[in-house]
Amino acid sequence: MIAYDPTNHTCALHTAHTTYQLAADADGRLLHLYYGPRAGAFRTVPPPHNDPGCWPDLLPQEWPAPGLGDNHTPFFALDWADGSRAADLRFAGAEVCSGTEPLPGLPSFHTGGETLRVTLQDPRGLTVTLLYAVFEDCDLITRAAVVQNTGTTPLTLQGVPSGVVDFGRKDLDLITFDGAWAGERTPFRAPVRPGVQSVGSVGGIPTHAHNPAVVLCAPDATETSGECWGAALVYSGNFRIQTERTTAGIRLSAGIEPYGFAWTLAPGECFVTPELALVYSSRGLGGMSRCFHNAVRGHLLRARWQDLTAARPVLLNSWEACYFDFNEEKLLTLARAAKTAGADLFVLDDGWFRGRNSDTTSLGDWAADTAKLPDGVAGLCSKIRALGLEFGIWVEPEAVSPDSDLFRAHPDWALQIPGRDTLEIRHQYTLDFSRADVREGIWQQLTELLDSCPISYLKWDMNRSLANVWSAALPADRQGEVYHRYVLGLYELQQRLVDRYPDLLLENCAGGGARFDLGMLYYSSQIWCSDNTDALDRLMIQYGTSFFYPPCVMGAHYSTVPNHTTGRTASVEARMAAALSGTFGFELDLTRYTPAQLAELRPFVDFYRAHGALLRTGSLYRLCPPDGSGAAWAIAAPDGSEAVVFASDRALDGRCLVLPFAVPGKMYRAHIRATGQELQNHRWDGEELAVHGLPLPDLRADLPGYLCYLQQED
Ligand code: GLA
């Protein structure tokens, strides 16, 4: 619910448990008053200061503008035609609208909600419209801004935040989600230090190094209690999320990374920022995450896959089974084995197109290599479907190999700076997706592929960061638009794809999880978490991922041991625990399995199917962090009537797992499958589980795993 009082220019955004307040002061400055537990009364607007010159530096502001007394490091930066750089934005009105406003060309939270539009004006010729959307059910507030040149001369934006939140306190911890290839999104927590600190990307995609999402929390906040504010960008390109601690408190700013960004607005033109998603929770990090999960599932995923009752197919992906080394017969043998193990969908990964026998060639030539697939993709697809499996395929549409027909025909389609060597990463260049003609060329190839046979799943990969960013289609003074136009081009193509093929299950991927963000989730309801399928490493990767993204969007596959990335072994149950808590699939050479070994995999697939709806819709509880002392997590029905509990690590041997969702007074029946043991029909009182915990058996294995299904008795 949004309350706007036009007499004193106060606005309150209420969700079920939170309130966000802002107001214009007597001078027309838009101030941030409050963001915390749901509140009725307004925080007071500070009275005007008797030295107006130093005042802006101390004020909590909703959209701080540079150059006129606010001495924080500006995120919003612009050049007027006369070379001056200051902006003086004052309140000019507000209105409440039902529903959410689509952000042209950008992904955003949608369905339901209410929007507050606040207009700020600079009489020199600048209007900023701040958009706040409120999704009460999941305590989500989103922000975005539309910046318009209302003057008579061009102006250039050098940096535009999606949102800024001023905290009138200095004692907050910052949690960022950092990593590298095969080790994405590891949480890092430390007190916010004085001055500016930031995470971000200049690689054109978020990259493996930092996720575009952070948490600010009280120093005493834990998984189950304490104040937390989560902020996540709905954006898939260069980003910056920055805190600045001054004597006035902490300012959080988030938006497109200013490096490489310059956007000129002719008179009348607008720039729309990506969206920033905000959640406040007083119920600790777990409470915050559950709000984000509900928001993603309820308001971000596309209609077809937002229906969480619709089962996700169990897939087998050919990558770790074959890499580039396969022919049709090998694929069909693999598919038969996958079918016996219980899979629904066979995914042909890299290596299927003209001349692609290693990662050095052929990206951009999206037609079958008939040496491997004599009847083309359509022929393989019909043979796979005849086995009773759906068919899916891998593409990397943004990439081009120097050794490809596409590059030979259109060398100018790759991002490159004239007069400089173009950097190859993984032996490939990146196509200039800021250009409509380049996108159209790829679109023609993609539709030809997708129209050639019933393809029900597409894995869209992107295996490098951008470099040599310069576009032949833009003049010198507009090259600062290329990074963002690239992302807009990517979004346009994925939107076309899901519009034309509404039932297609799209899975995004970027060398594992280098582009795992809310923007991509708008188009694809699952994203490949990481190229690292090692059960132990996955504990941390999926734990970190779960702070913002629900389990049902995390691509997670059961793979072989020793693991191809780490060389480690882990029990079947540990590998299954990691894979079954995401979008489950197999990624190993099942042709090496005997029929009896394949049959042993069936119960896990049956487990996934039996509890699929719960796994997709349930509430995640991170019971023990994967810090070396054992990892455990549960996905429970919101009313606590049933739950799946997963655990992994020897350190948990014989320990009890406290289950906060268990309802005292209700009896629970449990079925525990653990490495080397199976325990049926044990019964516990909910109070016992919630206070003392669920006792785990004592196991003796390198990396044991536990899978437990608990159900309340009537
Ligand atoms: C990336 C992906 C992998 C696989 C390979 C194929 O690394 O993350 O899953 O598809 O590309 O080249």
Side-chain angles (χ1 to χ4, degrees):
M1 204 252 299
I2 301 178
Y4 169 54
D5 181 347
T7 49
N8 54 14
H9 308 317
T10 53
C11 311
L13 317 174
H14 298 293
T15 68
H17 305 100
T18 74
T19 294
Y20 187 114
Q21 293 173 351
L22 51 148
D25 72 2
D27 296 325
R29 287 198 178 90
L30 188 64
L31 305 183
H32 176 72
L33 298 185
Y34 174 76
Y35 188 21
R38 190 166 167 129
F42 262 93
R43 291 289 162 95
T44 43
V45 180
H49 199 269
N50 58 13
D51 182 352
C54 73
W55 195 214
D57 208 23
L58 301 171
L59 285 174
Q61 306 211 37
E62 278 297 302
W63 183 268
L68 295 173
D70 180 338
N71 296 320
H72 288 78
T73 306
F75 202 121
F76 180 44
L78 75 170
D79 283 341
W80 297 93
D82 66 1
S84 67
R85 308 199 74 188
D88 192 7
L89 289 160
R90 304 290 170 125
F91 181 81
E95 58 175 329
V96 179
C97 313
S98 65
T100 50
E101 273 189 38
L103 305 176
L106 287 163
S108 58
F109 283 87
H110 53 92
T111 54
E114 231 184 331
T115 303
L116 172 72
R117 296 170 60 95
V118 182
T119 308
L120 305 175
Q121 282 176 345
D122 182 323
R124 273 197 142 202
L126 178 68
T127 298
V128 177
T129 306
L130 303 181
L131 302 172
Y132 300 80
V134 174
F135 300 85
E136 283 190 54
D137 58 338
C138 47
D139 289 330
L140 174 76
I141 292 173
T142 64
R143 292 191 57 177
V146 182
V147 182
Q148 186 177 21
N149 179 353
T150 45
T152 54
T153 50
L155 61 84
T156 302
L157 303 173
Q158 305 283 358
V160 193
S162 296
V164 177
V165 183
D166 270 342
F167 295 83
R169 56 190 283 187
K170 290 179 261 184
D171 62 331
L172 292 175
D173 283 358
L174 174 66
I175 309 176
T176 56
F177 298 85
D178 315 306
W181 176 79
E184 297 90 336
R185 293 176 296 285
T186 301
F188 183 89
R189 178 173 177 168
V192 176
R193 59 174 173 75
V196 174
Q197 60 189 111
S198 68
V199 286
S201 157
V202 295
I205 58 174
T207 80
H208 300 97
H210 303 290
N211 197 254
V214 304
V215 182
L216 282 170
C217 60
D220 64 354
T222 65
E223 186 59 32
T224 51
S225 70
E227 294 203 288
C228 305
W229 293 263
L233 283 164
V234 188
Y235 192 57
S236 316
N238 287 348
F239 74 96
R240 185 188 293 186
I241 304 182
Q242 163 180 311
T243 54
E244 182 164 14
R245 189 178 133 183
T246 66
T247 48
I250 292 170
R251 172 169 292 175
L252 175 77
S253 313
I256 295 175
E257 159 64 39
Y259 163 77
F261 176 85
W263 198 281
T264 299
L265 295 176
E269 281 183 350
C270 292
F271 180 82
V272 182
T273 72
E275 191 168 75
L276 176 67
L278 298 167
V279 163
Y280 165 80
S281 172
S282 58
R283 291 159 296 144
L285 297 163
M288 182 208 76
S289 296
R290 288 187 286 278
C291 292
F292 273 106
H293 297 176
N294 289 334
V296 167
R297 294 182 294 206
H299 300 287
L300 188 69
L301 301 185
R302 267 183 313 127
R304 168 70 175 83
W305 297 103
Q306 200 169 30
D307 175 8
L308 297 164
T309 57
R312 299 279 176 87
V314 171
L315 63 84
L316 175 130
N317 178 295
S318 67
W319 181 238
E320 289 195 20
C322 305
Y323 297 104
F324 297 104
D325 180 20
F326 57 83
N327 56 27
E328 192 184 74
E329 193 37 48
K330 181 163 173 187
L331 295 178
L332 290 172
T333 312
L334 182 61
R336 273 182 225 108
K339 177 75 184 164
T340 312
D344 305 301
L345 167 73
F346 180 86
V347 178
L348 176 55
D349 207 277
D350 200 351
W352 59 268
F353 44 99
R354 270 205 307 266
R356 179 76 166 175
N357 295 314
S358 73
D359 62 8
T360 58
T361 70
S362 309
L363 293 166
D365 299 343
W366 301 110
D369 185 341
T370 44
K372 288 180 183 167
L373 307 176
D375 301 321
V377 171
L380 176 69
C381 175
S382 78
K383 289 169 206 170
I384 296 279
R385 289 172 62 83
L387 298 175
L389 290 165
E390 300 279 301
F391 179 71
I393 200 159
W394 176 99
V395 285
E396 193 177 346
E398 297 154 76
V400 64
S401 304
D403 181 6
S404 65
D405 291 343
L406 184 74
F407 187 70
R408 281 183 281 275
H410 301 284
D412 64 306
W413 281 17
L415 285 171
Q416 57 201 302
I417 301 173
R420 267 189 202 286
D421 288 343
T422 305
L423 181 71
E424 284 182 33
I425 302 179
R426 209 195 187 207
H427 313 289
Q428 65 198 57
Y429 300 145
T430 310
L431 290 171
D432 180 358
F433 259 39
S434 75
R435 280 171 60 175
D437 59 336
V438 175
R439 295 197 300 274
E440 190 55 36
I442 292 301
W443 174 250
Q444 291 305 331
Q445 289 203 54
L446 282 181
T447 50
E448 203 170 310
L449 172 67
L450 291 167
D451 291 344
S452 69
C453 54
I455 294 178
S456 22
Y457 164 106
L458 189 74
K459 179 171 166 188
W460 178 307
D461 206 344
M462 202 296 184
N463 276 316
R464 57 162 288 178
S465 54
L466 307 192
N468 300 86
V469 173
W470 188 90
S471 177
L474 288 171
D477 61 355
R478 292 186 53 198
Q479 292 298 324
E481 299 176 16
V482 181
Y483 275 113
H484 182 54
R485 285 194 186 278
Y486 180 97
V487 181
L488 294 176
L490 165 72
Y491 288 155
E492 188 218 61
L493 212 55
Q494 294 218 343
Q495 185 66 55
R496 276 176 92 177
L497 198 62
V498 298
D499 285 347
R500 179 160 163 155
Y501 306 99
D503 291 331
L504 182 74
L505 176 55
L506 182 63
E507 176 154 352
N508 271 298
C509 170
R515 199 163 59 183
F516 202 117
D517 59 71
L518 295 173
M520 298 316 283
L521 277 179
Y522 179 80
Y523 306 98
S524 73
S525 38
Q526 51 196 61
I527 302 181
W528 183 228
C529 249
S530 176
D531 279 346
N532 187 346
T533 53
D534 175 270
L536 186 63
D537 287 352
R538 275 282 177 146
L539 295 176
M540 184 55 89
I541 294 167
Q542 293 178 200
Y543 168 80
T545 306
S546 77
F547 277 73
F548 291 89
Y549 312 103
C552 71
V553 305
M554 297 182 202
H557 297 170
Y558 177 83
S559 66
T560 196
V561 286
N563 183 270
H564 286 190
T565 303
T566 64
R568 263 199 301 256
T569 53
S571 67
V572 172
E573 287 76 12
R575 286 180 280 153
M576 283 292 183
L580 290 169
S581 42
T583 58
F584 177 67
F586 293 105
E587 188 154 341
L588 72 168
D589 187 357
L590 290 177
T591 63
R592 292 163 186 261
Y593 277 45
T594 62
Q597 286 173 317
L598 290 174
E600 280 169 17
L601 298 170
R602 274 311 277 246
F604 296 100
V605 176
D606 293 344
F607 180 94
Y608 185 68
R609 290 222 175 83
H611 309 305
L614 173 63
L615 291 168
R616 288 188 295 279
T617 59
S619 305
L620 178 76
Y621 290 84
R622 292 180 292 252
L623 305 172
C624 302
D627 58 5
S629 56
W633 61 105
I635 300 177
D639 63 358
S641 57
E642 57 172 348
V644 175
V645 181
F646 296 104
S648 191
D649 204 313
R650 270 207 73 173
L652 291 169
D653 274 5
R655 273 180 39 197
C656 290
L657 279 182
V658 172
L659 304 181
F661 50 82
V663 183
K666 294 278 184 189
M667 287 307 290
Y668 285 81
R669 191 175 286 277
H671 178 163
I672 303 182
R673 161 123 196 198
T675 305
Q677 293 191 30
E678 191 145 5
L679 310 167
Q680 299 266 18
N681 290 330
H682 276 249
R683 293 176 76 239
W684 284 279
D685 183 273
E687 183 162 2
E688 213 178 321
L689 294 172
V691 177
H692 303 294
L694 172 75
L696 293 178
D698 203 351
L699 305 174
R700 315 262 148 187
D702 263 359
L703 185 65
Y706 312 77
L707 289 81
C708 171
Y709 175 67
L710 281 164
Q711 192 174 30
Q712 256 177 29
E713 294 181 340
D714 295 333

